[in-house]
Amino acid sequence: MNFDELIRKILKILGTLFWILILILMARWYFQNRDRFFPPSPPIKEIHNINPFKF
C-alpha cells in the first residue's frame, strides 16, 4: 500500500465520521427541542354524549 492510497482511505474514513457526527448532533438537538416545535396537545376534559337516539 503506497502513501497516496493510505491518505485516500484516511480522508474517506474522516469524511464518513464527520457526517455521522453531524447526524448524531442533529438528532440530539431535535430530541432536546422537540416540545418547542410539536407541543403536546392539551388533555380532553370531558366528552359529552351527543347520541340523539339515547333517551
Side-chain angles (χ1 to χ4, degrees):
M1 178 183 300
N2 60 17
F3 191 65
D4 292 337
E5 291 177 15
L6 182 64
I7 290 176
R8 284 188 186 127
K9 286 186 179 184
I10 289 174
L11 288 176
K12 186 175 180 180
I13 290 171
L14 285 176
T16 304
L17 291 175
F18 171 76
W19 286 112
I20 290 172
L21 177 67
I22 293 296
L23 289 174
I24 289 172
L25 290 175
M26 288 175 63
R28 188 172 170 208
W29 177 85
Y30 169 75
F31 287 120
Q32 287 177 351
N33 295 309
R34 180 174 36 192
D35 292 337
R36 270 197 326 182
F37 299 106
F38 304 105
S41 60
I44 299 173
K45 295 178 182 175
E46 185 178 346
I47 299 176
H48 298 288
N49 187 1
I50 56 172
N51 187 355
F53 302 106
K54 185 176 181 183
F55 296 106

